[in-house]
């Protein structure tokens, strides 16, 4: 009995000693891991910036497949967040600040222990160098967990290394897996739309689209306007030398409307026309290849494109419907010059004309004055300029195919 008491006392003393040892250990941690990812900097940044993609590369999902994740309404950029609950505890990740294609600052809370998380993206040979850092202070229970599992550097560092390897594999597949359907000549119907027009860098068009499209959707909802299809972008010009473009980011609507001057949104109408259509399935980084395929079709078939517009990108299936870039579907249209309407042929007519000597017949062979044909330059272009208009009653229009 006395021996048993000594053993119990020894165990208690050991627990006390261990607790004192753990409590006096340094609570701060600073962990960093880096890897070169075989993808462009913008592709890596955009992928990591969307928290919904973290399930695809986070090693914690492999270790705990039953982990329950709840996303906030916003998962991209500042304010984005998600919470999780798994076998090792619960936590929250929140994005505080982002710098386009450069860095992301976040705050993580795991079992009530807060820490700072940051991502840095840098161009390098072979792709993009991604540096993932975290720093914070461990509470007592996290110290115990770390002490029993090899320390914070081992626990977090190993998780970061596996996750970065997964990120490289996921991006290599998602970004570089794409297909472009052969171009074809199609007829497009009339389309009424509402959107916002501006000039910006080509590289920032999709970033601006993520801001403008929700704003237009809200405008339509507040004004009881029926959205009649998927969003699209009209590229009025496309300057590859200066790397700038004038665009209109739009939503198709069922009826034609007019917006008063002073609004940053405007309405417009795409008139029915022929266009060369090419379909891209994959990430938007392959869009130039799809455009070039359409241009090749134009040149091969000696078809003249409409000089008043560069092209239109129609987002049939995008990031709002599916998170995998390899499955995004975008239709690219290169509008053609509107065809001139040929004048109607006149039948030969014989008339009697009075002359000084009596009457004279004018034969069908008698040359007549030529009918003036409207030049292509003077024909109204297929795509109207987007300008604010005065408020009037909505005009009824046939439903669009789009």
């Amino acid at each position: 009995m006395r021996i048993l008491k000594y053993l119990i006392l020894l165990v208690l003393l050991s627990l006390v000693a261990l607790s004192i040892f753990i409590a006096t250990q340094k609570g701060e941690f600073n962990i960093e891991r880096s890897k070169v990812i075989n993808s462009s900097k913008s592709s890596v940044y955009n992928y990591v910036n969307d928290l919904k993609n973290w399930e695809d590369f986070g090693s914690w999902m492999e270790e705990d497949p039953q982990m329950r994740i709840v996303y906030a309404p916003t998962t991209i950029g500042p304010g984005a967040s998600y919470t999780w609950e798994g076998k090792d505890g619960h936590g929250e990740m929140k994005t505080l600040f982002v710098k386009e294609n450069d860095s992301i600052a976040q705050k993580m809370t795991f079992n009530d222990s807060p820490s700072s998380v940051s991502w840095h993206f840098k161009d390098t040979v072979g792709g993009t160098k991604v540096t993932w850092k975290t720093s914070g202070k461990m509470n007592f229970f996290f110290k115990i967990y770390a002490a029993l599992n090899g320390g914070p550097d081992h626990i977090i560092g190993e998780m970061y290394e596996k996750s970065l390897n997964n990120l490289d594999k996921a991006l290599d597949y998602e970004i570089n897996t794409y297909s472009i359907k052969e171009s074809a000549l199609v007829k497009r119907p009339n389309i009424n739309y509402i959107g916002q027009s501006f000039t910006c860098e080509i590289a920032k068009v999709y970033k601006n689209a993520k801001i403008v499209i929700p704003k237009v959707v809200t405008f339509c909802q507040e004004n009881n306007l029926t959205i009649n299809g998927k969003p699209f972008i009209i590229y009025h010009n496309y300057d590859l030398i200066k790397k700038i473009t004038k665009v209109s980011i739009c939503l198709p609507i069922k009826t034609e409307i007019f917006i008063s001057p002073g609004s940053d949104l405007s309405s417009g109408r795409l008139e029915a026309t022929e266009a060369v259509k090419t379909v891209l399935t994959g990430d938007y980084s392959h869009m130039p290849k799809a455009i070039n395929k359409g241009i090749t079709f134009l040149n091969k078939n000696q078809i003249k494109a409409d000089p008043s517009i560069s092209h239109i990108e129609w987002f049939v299936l995008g990031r709002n419907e599916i998170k995998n870039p390899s499955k995004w579907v975008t239709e690219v249209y290169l509008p053609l010059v509107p065809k001139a309407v040929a004048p109607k042929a006149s039948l030969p007519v014989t008339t009697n004309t009075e002359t000084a000597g009596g009457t004279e017949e004018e034969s069908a062979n008698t040359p007549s004055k030529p009918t003036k044909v409207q030049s292509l330059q003077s024909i109204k272009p297929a795509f109207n300029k987007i300008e604010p208009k005065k408020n009037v009653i909505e005009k009824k229009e046939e439903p669009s195919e789009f």
Side-chain angles (χ1 to χ4, degrees):
M1 189 71 179
R2 184 178 295 179
I3 295 174
L4 181 61
K5 289 182 180 179
Y6 285 138
L7 289 175
I8 294 174
L9 181 60
L10 182 62
V11 170
L12 290 174
L13 289 174
S14 298
L15 290 175
V16 171
L18 179 62
S19 298
I20 294 173
F21 173 77
I22 292 173
T24 56
Q25 290 301 299
K26 185 179 179 180
E28 291 83 10
F29 61 88
N30 195 341
I31 299 157
E32 175 182 324
R33 293 293 188 273
S34 297
K35 182 174 178 60
V36 175
I37 305 296
N38 184 30
S39 297
S40 68
K41 186 166 67 171
S42 62
S43 297
V44 179
Y45 167 83
N46 288 324
Y47 196 76
V48 174
N49 192 33
D50 189 345
L51 297 181
K52 285 186 176 180
N53 292 326
W54 286 37
E55 289 185 57
D56 295 334
F57 67 83
S59 62
W60 49 86
M61 296 301 299
E62 299 171 359
E63 297 170 3
D64 187 3
Q66 303 302 318
M67 182 180 290
R68 189 171 67 90
I69 297 177
V70 178
Y71 293 102
T74 301
T75 60
I76 300 175
S81 67
Y82 74 90
T83 59
W84 74 90
E85 189 172 344
K87 63 181 182 180
D88 293 327
H90 63 277
E92 180 186 27
M93 178 68 73
K94 186 173 183 178
T95 301
L96 305 176
F97 171 81
V98 299
K99 185 176 180 182
E100 186 77 14
N101 296 332
D102 180 81
S103 58
I104 300 172
Q106 299 170 317
K107 179 182 178 181
M108 184 182 76
T109 303
F110 176 63
N111 287 339
D112 302 319
S113 181
S115 60
S116 298
V117 178
S118 66
W119 296 78
H120 293 271
F121 309 91
K122 185 178 180 181
D123 284 322
T124 189
V125 177
T128 304
K129 182 180 180 181
V130 179
T131 302
W132 195 0
K133 300 180 183 179
T134 183
S135 61
K137 192 171 183 178
M138 297 181 288
N139 57 27
F140 180 74
F141 295 103
F142 190 30
K143 284 182 180 180
I144 295 176
Y145 178 81
L148 297 175
N149 291 276
D153 188 80
H154 173 75
I155 298 170
I156 300 175
E158 187 176 80
M159 179 177 64
Y160 277 16
E161 288 170 5
K162 290 181 180 178
S163 298
L164 287 172
N165 286 331
N166 293 342
L167 176 63
D168 190 22
K169 293 176 183 177
L171 275 170
D172 185 55
Y173 176 82
E174 289 297 336
I175 302 300
N176 298 320
T177 300
Y178 73 98
S179 64
I180 300 176
K181 188 177 179 181
E182 289 295 328
S183 301
L185 198 60
V186 298
K187 290 184 178 180
R188 292 183 39 77
N190 296 324
I191 299 292
N192 300 312
Y193 64 86
I194 182 170
Q196 185 173 357
S197 302
F198 49 84
T199 299
C200 69
E201 296 177 24
I202 293 175
K204 294 183 178 180
V205 171
Y206 300 125
K207 174 188 175 183
N208 290 324
K210 288 187 286 186
I211 298 171
V212 173
I213 292 174
K215 182 168 68 172
V216 178
V217 170
T218 300
F219 180 89
C220 291
Q221 292 172 344
E222 291 175 349
N223 292 275
N224 297 320
L225 299 175
T226 303
I227 298 174
N228 201 33
K230 300 293 185 177
F232 61 94
I233 300 177
I234 304 172
Y235 289 79
H236 301 280
N237 54 50
Y238 202 76
D239 192 332
L240 291 174
I241 297 177
K242 296 181 179 180
K243 297 182 179 180
I244 60 173
T245 179
K246 180 183 177 183
V247 296
S248 295
I249 299 174
C250 314
L251 274 178
I253 54 177
K254 193 170 183 180
T255 55
E256 185 177 10
I257 67 166
F258 301 89
I259 298 179
S260 299
S263 173
D264 55 351
L265 298 181
S266 55
S267 60
R269 177 182 174 91
L270 297 177
E271 301 294 346
T273 187
E274 286 188 308
V276 171
K277 174 184 174 182
T278 306
V279 180
L280 167 66
T281 301
D283 185 72
Y284 301 141
S285 60
H286 304 290
M287 195 67 71
K289 300 171 188 174
I291 297 171
N292 287 337
K293 200 173 190 73
I295 294 174
T296 301
F297 182 89
L298 285 171
N299 295 334
K300 181 180 178 180
N301 293 277
Q302 298 182 343
I303 304 173
K304 189 175 181 182
D306 187 346
S308 67
I309 194 170
S310 171
H311 64 282
I312 300 173
E313 295 173 2
W314 215 289
F315 303 102
V316 178
L317 190 65
R319 64 174 76 245
N320 291 332
E321 292 82 19
I322 187 168
K323 66 180 181 179
N324 305 85
S326 63
K327 298 179 181 178
W328 295 345
V329 179
T330 311
E331 295 176 350
V332 182
Y333 293 92
L334 303 179
L336 307 187
V337 171
K339 293 180 179 179
V341 180
K344 294 182 180 180
S346 300
L347 294 174
V349 178
T350 302
T351 60
N352 293 329
T353 304
E354 288 188 0
T355 64
T359 60
E360 179 181 346
E361 291 187 350
E362 290 186 355
S363 169
N365 295 327
T366 305
S368 60
K369 292 183 179 180
T371 303
K372 185 176 181 181
V373 180
Q374 191 179 16
S375 66
L376 291 177
Q377 289 78 6
S378 63
I379 295 176
K380 184 179 180 181
F383 298 87
N384 294 335
K385 292 183 179 178
I386 303 176
E387 296 178 354
K389 304 172 185 177
K390 296 181 179 179
N391 285 323
V392 297
I393 300 176
E394 292 184 353
K395 296 183 178 180
K396 293 185 178 180
E397 188 69 34
E398 293 295 326
S400 168
E401 297 176 8
F402 291 81

